Amino acid sequence: NVYWQDFAVKKTGHVLLFGALAVLIYRALLGEGVAKKKAAILSVILATFYGATDELHQVYTQGREARIRDIFIDGIGASVFIFLLYKVLPKMPKKVVELAKEFQLV
């Protein structure tokens, strides 16, 4: 029972962290003038690629083990956050969209 709780907490952390990384990459790409759709796709790819390099690093770290599963979880986190940012956020109430514009997310 404790294993599943530990697993759930750690994987939720992966989803949140790689989702946040994808959002930051997305915002950086928009700031560089990349089109929104291209920025959305690239941010998911780059965040997932970083997850893959993190797993590769774990191969060489004592006490850690790399898992392909974790790369997929990282990619899911990045994809969900970018989907919410790209498709859902623009449909939110006007005040929310205006706040997002202040942070250059929309």
Side-chain angles (χ1 to χ4, degrees):
N1 197 9
V2 173
Y3 169 78
W4 285 105
Q5 292 170 344
D6 182 60
F7 179 83
V9 168
K10 287 179 180 176
K11 299 318 163 194
T12 299
H14 274 258
V15 168
L16 295 173
L17 289 171
F18 282 86
L21 176 61
V23 169
L24 292 171
I25 293 169
Y26 177 75
R27 189 175 182 280
L29 291 170
L30 290 180
E32 290 296 315
V34 176
K36 286 184 180 185
K37 185 175 183 178
K38 186 174 182 178
I41 293 167
L42 281 173
S43 63
V44 171
I45 290 169
L46 291 171
T48 304
F49 178 74
Y50 184 80
T53 63
D54 182 47
E55 292 304 308
L56 179 63
H57 168 261
Q58 289 182 33
V59 169
Y60 302 104
T61 304
Q62 188 175 8
R64 303 290 306 267
E65 57 184 53
R67 301 259 182 180
I68 296 291
R69 167 191 72 202
D70 288 344
I71 299 170
F72 285 107
I73 292 170
D74 299 340
I76 289 168
S79 299
V80 167
F81 272 57
I82 293 302
F83 174 80
L84 293 173
L85 190 65
Y86 187 76
K87 291 286 190 180
V88 176
L89 184 62
K91 297 176 184 174
M92 297 293 286
K94 186 178 178 180
K95 284 187 177 187
V96 175
V97 174
E98 290 302 319
L99 181 62
K101 285 181 181 177
E102 286 185 39
F103 289 100
Q104 299 173 351
L105 296 172
V106 182

